[in-house]
Amino acid sequence: MVKKVAILASVALAASLLSANALAENKRIAIVVKALGIGFFEAAAKGAEEAAAELGDVDIIYTGPTDTTAEGQIEVINSLIAQKVDAIAISANDQDALVPALKKAMSRGITVISWDSGVAPEGRQMHLNPSSNALIGNTIIKLAADHMPDGGEVAVLSASATATNQNIWIEEMTKVMDNYPGVTLVSTVYGDDLSDKSYREAEGLMSSHPNLKAIIAPTTVGIVAAAQAVTDAGKIGEINVTGLALPSEMAGHIESGVSKSFAIWNPIDLGYSATMIAYNLATKKAMADANTSIDMGRMGSVMLDDNKEGAMSDPFTYDASNIDQFKSIF
Ligand code: RAM
């Protein structure tokens, strides 16, 4: 009896050593998001898992802070360094504040890339934009202006004030405002990608700007909150809510008419692409050099510019004519 137990124990030990060994050979890629609980990033995580399944020797660690702060991400990065992960692919809450922690990661041999929301060049090997920043900036104002034949006031409800991606898109948008004569930007406010704060900021915009014709929210969290605030204020038809959103989260608001249209790229593809890039760099199958391209599996390849940045694909516009086709996908 004693012998039997001993044999079973050693079989179990051998089995666990074997599986530990298999795990040790897998590349551990950490997908670090702005904050947990955001549908956009959960869709990106699906894409990361898809890439891992295709590659076969990858474990995805999906992680992030509970709110969209740089401090929270620095804690996460330090813990990933301690875990000796192979790669960190991060959507940054602040392009500069994360640099020292990410430099430390790189000095320990960890591959570091940013995606969605960028880190300054010294803190990452490359950055994957979802689309061209200029195109996104032009798209968000065009979505609003197309439904304002007489012009009027628009306001922006953004994510956090330090979010690299939203700040660039808003800057690109302001550069092309002259192409939309009669449309004026009256305010930019920040909801920090928190639903309740975004809702209150949208209410604030409506009370400070009684003639507002559109709220542009280039954040999937902000746009849903703004659509709800406009609905609750009884202003459907008066204020159009647009920007960047997930079809799954906006279907009801398209149906009610509070949002006429919005745009987005495929977040599943974005998480997939970021994972493929991180893997190819971590396994030295590719180098993050300016003016070279990196393979992204089924998404083709990304060409890096002088800043070691590249774009995945163009955004797509959703409205009442097509939202039903996409709302169950992301
Ligand atoms: C939110 C986040 C994310 C952004 C999308 C559009 O989910 O702020 O970074 O890309 O919106």
Side-chain angles (χ1 to χ4, degrees), residues 31-36 38 41 63-81 88-99 101-102 114-119 160 162-164:
I31 303 291
V32 183
V33 298
K34 285 180 169 177
L36 297 174
I38 295 178
F41 291 119
T63 181
T66 50
D67 51 11
T68 55
T69 61
E71 293 72 30
Q73 286 191 316
I74 290 167
E75 273 181 39
V76 168
I77 293 164
N78 284 330
S79 128
L80 293 169
I81 294 172
I88 294 175
I90 190 164
S91 168
N93 285 324
D94 187 312
Q95 63 171 351
D96 300 315
L98 304 182
V99 167
L102 292 173
S114 52
W115 59 284
D116 181 54
S117 184
V119 172
S160 69
T162 57
T164 324

Side-chain angles (χ1 to χ4, degrees), residues 37-320:
I38 295 178
F40 175 86
F41 291 119
E42 283 161 9
K46 271 195 207 166
E49 290 293 352
E50 186 201 328
E54 193 180 315
L55 291 163
D57 59 347
V58 171
D59 292 317
I60 298 294
I61 302 170
Y62 176 75
T63 181
T66 50
D67 51 11
T68 55
T69 61
E71 293 72 30
Q73 286 191 316
I74 290 167
E75 273 181 39
V76 168
I77 293 164
N78 284 330
S79 128
L80 293 169
I81 294 172
Q83 292 171 53
K84 298 190 164 68
V85 297
D86 295 288
I88 294 175
I90 190 164
S91 168
N93 285 324
D94 187 312
Q95 63 171 351
D96 300 315
L98 304 182
V99 167
L102 292 173
K103 270 188 162 173
K104 181 172 158 196
M106 288 190 286
S107 76
R108 307 272 169 99
I110 298 174
T111 293
V112 175
I113 69 165
S114 52
W115 59 284
D116 181 54
S117 184
V119 172
E122 59 272 26
R124 47 73 174 166
Q125 289 167 249
M126 61 80 67
H127 171 65
L128 178 67
N129 282 309
S131 295
S132 119
N133 291 322
L135 179 60
I136 299 171
N138 189 54
T139 299
I140 56 178
I141 184 64
K142 187 173 186 306
L143 283 167
D146 280 353
H147 297 281
M148 298 168 64
D150 305 321
E153 296 179 358
V154 301
V156 169
L157 169 62
S158 189
S160 69
T162 57
T164 324
N165 52 348
Q166 275 90 9
N167 284 347
I168 297 178
W169 300 334
I170 295 165
E171 192 188 317
E172 292 291 345
M173 178 187 111
T174 54
K175 284 189 201 162
V176 295
M177 286 293 293
D178 286 352
N179 298 342
Y180 304 95
V183 177
T184 45
L185 176 62
V186 291
S187 181
T188 298
V189 295
Y190 302 91
D192 293 346
D193 271 349
L194 294 170
S195 297
D196 51 352
K197 178 153 194 268
S198 302
Y199 185 93
R200 287 196 303 275
E201 292 293 343
E203 285 183 318
L205 286 175
M206 287 187 278
S207 63
S208 321
H209 304 284
N211 297 321
L212 202 61
K213 292 279 176 297
I215 296 177
I216 300 170
T219 131
T220 61
V221 178
I223 193 170
V224 175
Q228 196 56 52
V230 170
T231 303
D232 294 348
K235 289 184 188 259
I236 296 181
E238 205 178 307
I239 300 177
N240 178 31
V241 177
T242 189
L244 304 174
L246 298 184
S248 58
E249 296 179 347
M250 284 295 279
H253 293 306
I254 288 284
E255 200 181 322
S256 78
V258 66
S259 175
K260 297 206 190 316
S261 59
F262 60 85
I264 200 76
W265 44 89
N266 184 325
I268 303 172
D269 290 347
L270 190 60
Y272 172 94
S273 301
T275 304
M276 283 293 179
I277 293 169
Y279 179 84
N280 285 329
L281 294 178
T283 55
K284 311 261 185 296
K285 291 189 170 66
M287 298 290 284
D289 291 327
N291 307 309
T292 60
S293 67
I294 304 178
D295 186 78
M296 307 190 292
R298 67 165 169 81
M299 292 301 292
S301 63
V302 61
M303 183 55 138
L304 302 187
D305 64 13
D306 290 341
N307 224 8
K308 299 188 187 175
E309 283 186 32
M312 182 186 72
S313 62
D314 288 353
F316 190 78
T317 298
Y318 299 88
D319 58 21

Side-chain angles (χ1 to χ4, degrees), residues 19-28 59 86:
S19 68
N21 195 31
L23 280 178
E25 280 170 14
N26 275 4
K27 291 284 169 202
R28 287 177 305 151
D59 292 317
D86 295 288

